[in-house]
Structures are given as structure tokens and as C-alpha cells.
Amino acid sequence: MTENTPGGAPKSPTSPEPSGVDLARVALRAAKDAARARGNAAQQKKQARRGGGLRSGARADGRDPMALGSAINRLITERGWEAPAAVGGVMGRWPQIVGEDVAKHCEPERYDEDERVLTVRCDSTAWATNLRLLAPTLVARLNEDLGHGRVKLIKVQGPGGPARRYGPLRAPGSTGPGDTYG
């Protein structure tokens, strides 16, 4: 026959009833938890009376203000933006990397991080051809600056023509003058 507990549930014959030492441990743990809760509540009341929440002490800790540069570097590292930030720095230093003469006629437009392709727009077809010839050298120079393999290819685009307008002298679907401007 199985005995029932005061709540009506049958007692299992395998689980022993807690002895005196086990009951004392359970009671001690409950008393420590209650004391910790009372202490935390008292500390919060005391801080509220002094005029606010947590305060920074004499030594540096995680609550201290951080310099803007350090905060930005931490954000870049946490989000994994190192490569785009480095390429953005290259775009800012473009004249120093390629030289003043080339920088006057060619400027970087965008960087595709997935394909590792840097797109550069030139102001004339002659400069686009010149940059296509210089592309392997520039890729090597950029990878030296950014780290190996950051840029695999430089995609060179020529100048954009004027806006394609529709009008009485334009054939539907025509591409217009194309890349002859510049």
C-alpha cells in the first residue's frame, strides 16, 4: 500500500524524507536569500536618499565616461565594422594612395564587402582606360594598406552621360550617345 501526503498525492517509496541536517541547510539557504534581498533593498533606499542611483567611485570602473574615440572603436569592434571602416579611411585618403594627378580625375564610389570590389568612377574614358591599366598595382597597394585580400578587384567606370530624356527625336529603347562624353 502507498501512503498519501497531506495534499493527497501518493508518496514515492524511493524518495527519502529530508532529515534534520537537510532541513537545516534548506532553512539556512532561505534565510541567506531573504537577508540578501533585505540588504539590497536597504542599499537602494540609502542611495535614493543621497540623491541618485549608482555612482562611480575613486577608481575606474565600467560606469565611468569614455572618450569618444574609444567609444567609437569599441562600437566598430562589437559590430564587426572593421573592414568597412578601413575602406572608408582609404576613400578619405584616396589622393595619398593613388597620387594627386589620378585623384583629380578618378574617385572611389563604393565598396562591396561581400565581393571585395572597389568601384571607381573616372571623369573621362581616357582616365578610365589608364586606371584599368593601373588596377593591379592599386589592388596590391590597397591590400598592403588594409590587409591581405580586402580588395580583390577594382571596377572602373567611365563618365556618365547626360540624363537620357525622351523626346520627339529619340527612338524608344535607344541607349543614346553612351560613353563618348569627356
Side-chain angles (χ1 to χ4, degrees):
M1 299 220 156
T2 54
E3 296 179 37
N4 288 341
T5 59
K11 273 189 187 177
S12 70
T14 58
S15 64
E17 216 171 289
S19 66
V21 174
D22 293 332
L23 288 173
R25 284 185 185 139
V26 169
L28 179 62
R29 187 175 315 126
K32 283 183 178 180
D33 289 342
R36 190 174 303 118
R38 282 192 309 273
N40 287 342
Q43 185 177 6
Q44 288 174 355
K45 270 186 179 179
K46 189 176 177 183
Q47 286 177 345
R49 272 183 286 179
R50 282 190 285 168
L54 297 174
R55 295 183 183 197
S56 180
R59 291 177 191 84
D61 65 3
R63 298 171 290 168
D64 287 340
M66 186 181 296
L68 182 61
S70 300
I72 289 174
N73 288 337
R74 187 169 123 194
L75 178 69
I76 287 172
T77 303
E78 286 175 357
R79 302 283 172 108
W81 293 341
E82 290 95 357
V87 172
V90 165
M91 289 183 176
R93 294 181 290 120
W94 183 252
Q96 290 86 21
I97 293 171
V98 298
E100 292 292 328
D101 196 30
V102 175
K104 287 179 190 175
H105 301 283
C106 306
E107 64 181 26
E109 281 193 340
R110 65 181 167 273
Y111 173 70
D112 184 2
E113 187 178 357
D114 297 330
E115 295 183 22
R116 298 178 188 237
V117 174
L118 179 66
T119 304
V120 179
R121 171 131 356 238
C122 297
D123 62 0
S124 71
T125 54
W127 276 103
T129 303
N130 190 17
L131 195 66
R132 283 187 189 102
L133 295 173
L134 289 174
T137 307
L138 288 178
V139 167
R141 196 177 301 168
L142 289 169
N143 283 329
E144 183 181 306
D145 192 3
L146 297 172
H148 182 68
R150 289 275 190 219
V151 178
K152 290 185 179 178
L153 176 71
I154 293 181
K155 185 177 177 182
V156 181
Q157 295 181 340
R164 311 247 191 277
R165 292 184 292 269
Y166 295 100
L169 300 177
R170 173 84 52 199
S174 71
T175 59
D179 192 39
T180 58
Y181 291 96

